[in-house]
Amino acid sequence: MVVVETFVDPEYFRGTTYKVSGWSELGSTSGWGRCAQDFYQPHERPKQLWVKELVKGACQKLRAAHLPPAWAGVEARAPVRCATPVREIGSLLSQCQALPEFRRRQALAYPVAGMRALIVLASLCGVVRGQRDLAAFARRLSQRQLQSLGFRRDRRTGRVRCPGETAFFRVLGGLGEDQVEAVLLRWQDQRLGPVQDTLIAIDGKELRHARGLQLVSAFGGQTGRWLGTVRVSDKSNEIPAAQRLVDRLELDGKSVVLDALHTQDRTAQKLVFERGAHYVMSVKANPKTLCQTLEKKLQAQRFPPSADPGHARLPPGTQPEPARSAGLDHGERHGRGSGLCGGGADWEAAHARAGLRAQGAGNPLPDQQRERGADGRAGAAGRQARVLGD
């Protein structure tokens, strides 16, 4: 225990004794009193809240973003409570109304929309196990929270009923995963707006306490936003699951990052040709053929055109703007000397004129186009051949 608190009724006391004893007044309460477990009534008599530190600097440590290690262990063992406001629960419940009701009329005291919204709230609060932990989480909800989920009142007590383990067990096994995912994605779009991420990460994980169940999920690289999940089929692996997930995502013009397990021809073809995306994949020693090919083709060297000895004064990795942007007209760009392997006096004269115009325009790099090599090929073609190992 590091801090103690007490309440003072200002209609009868001023708290002088607490003040001289080192207590601090934090403010007044909102004027509600508990009349039953998790049930409060307004009494219109706010009280003063006083606290005293038993450990020096305890209030400052409690307000910090991360608790001290010894205190964090105590908080981790504390029961999880739902701090979501009622108005936000209503926005989630409105999206869950689209889920079909599959149970008998006797179970309608707990509508499927409210049950699914409650499961989502529990997951967001860190409840990761089955129906037993979900039922314990539901018992810690307030009456207003339970009422906002659409649960009915008990006729004998007048209090909103709380679902038990059996109700959660039936709901968890009776709804399709695609239906639940569609609802959650719509709710996420309603809260966060359209997806703005241009970098998408796809990865698979095995769930704890799920008897080997594996999921493949997609997340936004810039915001960490969840974009979808696919369950790995029995006696299968993450590769076909990731390919099914790719079919469901909007990837046109975006870059997708995957680990070495997904470095597959089919996955790459699907991303580029079917979904219009770019990809970044890791390559390990297996498969050997691909690894050996990349070791031969990719070598540590400067990237063209900075690899050109004539541009040694440019920093490594610099890609200067081509000289034709300084003012080559249509005839000069498409004349007889255009192309990687073209030649002739007209080609050289056109680029000489472009260099003069670049100097006149104040271009800091007037000599960006390299002269033709002695082997009869243009400089760009020669650099390309060197990189590819030709």
Side-chain angles (χ1 to χ4, degrees):
M1 184 178 296
V2 297
V3 175
V4 292
E5 67 176 12
T6 187
F7 299 94
V8 174
D9 192 337
E11 294 185 5
Y12 299 102
F13 308 99
R14 295 184 177 180
T16 305
T17 304
Y18 290 109
K19 187 174 182 179
V20 298
S21 301
W23 291 66
S24 301
E25 182 183 357
L26 297 185
S28 300
T29 64
S30 57
W32 288 72
R34 177 183 293 180
C35 61
Q37 184 179 6
D38 293 333
F39 190 74
Y40 295 82
Q41 287 182 342
H43 53 63
E44 305 299 335
R45 294 178 57 182
K47 296 180 174 60
Q48 297 174 352
L49 175 61
W50 293 77
V51 299
K52 182 178 181 180
E53 294 182 345
L54 301 181
V55 176
K56 186 177 181 180
C59 291
Q60 183 178 0
K61 294 178 181 179
L62 290 173
R63 293 195 302 266
H66 302 283
L67 293 175
W71 298 6
V74 177
E75 187 184 42
R77 295 191 297 269
V80 179
R81 290 185 176 272
C82 179
T84 306
V86 173
R87 61 180 180 275
E88 296 187 8
I89 295 178
S91 67
L92 174 59
L93 183 65
S94 63
Q95 295 295 333
C96 293
Q97 296 292 349
L99 295 173
E101 182 60 71
F102 60 92
R103 298 168 300 169
R104 298 179 300 173
R105 296 184 59 183
Q106 289 84 342
L108 296 185
Y110 309 114
V112 68
M115 292 292 295
R116 177 50 65 178
L118 178 53
I119 293 172
V120 173
L121 293 175
S123 300
L124 295 177
C125 292
V127 178
V128 296
R129 297 197 180 186
Q131 60 270 13
R132 179 173 300 178
D133 288 345
L134 289 172
F137 176 82
R139 289 193 295 269
R140 290 188 286 270
L141 294 179
S142 67
Q143 286 287 293
R144 292 189 62 196
Q145 289 173 325
L146 291 172
Q147 185 177 7
S148 67
L149 292 169
F151 299 157
R152 297 179 180 178
R153 293 182 179 273
D154 191 324
R155 295 180 179 179
R156 294 173 297 177
T157 64
R159 295 175 55 82
V160 182
R161 300 173 58 184
C162 180
E165 296 183 27
T166 303
F168 284 106
F169 178 79
R170 291 172 179 170
V171 172
L172 288 172
L175 288 176
E177 55 195 42
D178 294 342
Q179 295 174 317
V180 176
E181 181 186 73
V183 167
L184 295 181
L185 290 176
R186 286 199 304 269
W187 180 57
Q188 186 175 244
D189 293 341
Q190 178 185 356
R191 302 293 299 174
L192 303 179
V195 179
Q196 302 294 336
D197 297 270
T198 58
L199 180 65
I200 309 300
I202 296 178
D203 193 18
K205 296 295 181 182
E206 181 176 343
L207 295 182
R208 296 175 60 184
H209 315 295
R211 300 179 181 179
L213 177 63
Q214 291 181 312
L215 300 177
V216 178
S217 302
F219 297 90
Q222 286 89 352
T223 63
R225 180 170 175 172
W226 172 65
L227 302 177
T229 299
V230 170
R231 182 174 63 89
V232 176
S233 303
D234 297 336
K235 299 182 180 180
S236 183
N237 55 47
E238 297 179 14
I239 297 174
Q243 294 173 358
R244 296 199 306 271
L245 180 59
V246 166
D247 290 333
R248 294 158 51 174
L249 299 175
E250 294 292 338
L251 300 176
D252 190 16
K254 300 181 180 182
S255 299
V256 181
V257 180
L258 307 100
D259 57 24
L261 176 65
H262 301 284
T263 306
Q264 307 287 332
D265 292 343
R266 176 56 183 158
T267 303
Q269 293 171 0
K270 182 179 290 291
L271 287 170
V272 175
F273 299 114
E274 299 181 16
R275 310 304 298 168
H278 310 283
Y279 64 83
V280 178
M281 297 179 178
S282 304
V283 178
K284 295 184 177 179
N286 188 20
K288 294 183 179 180
T289 304
L290 177 60
C291 186
Q292 293 173 356
T293 301
L294 294 177
E295 287 178 349
K296 293 179 181 179
K297 295 295 183 181
L298 301 180
Q299 301 177 3
Q301 56 184 318
R302 291 181 176 181
F303 188 82
S306 61
D308 187 349
H311 292 150
R313 59 186 177 86
L314 300 176
T318 302
Q319 299 187 52
E321 187 70 20
R324 64 171 181 264
S325 63
L328 277 178
D329 57 20
H330 179 79
E332 292 169 344
R333 291 196 305 267
H334 301 281
R336 182 176 54 177
S338 62
L340 288 177
C341 300
D346 293 341
W347 183 87
E348 296 177 353
H351 284 273
R353 291 195 299 271
L356 292 175
R357 282 199 295 272
Q359 295 181 27
N363 192 326
L365 299 174
D367 56 343
Q368 293 167 354
Q369 290 289 346
R370 187 189 174 199
E371 296 295 332
R372 294 179 60 207
D375 57 353
R377 295 185 297 178
R383 290 193 298 274
Q384 184 184 34
R386 288 197 300 274
V387 173
L388 297 178
D390 188 6

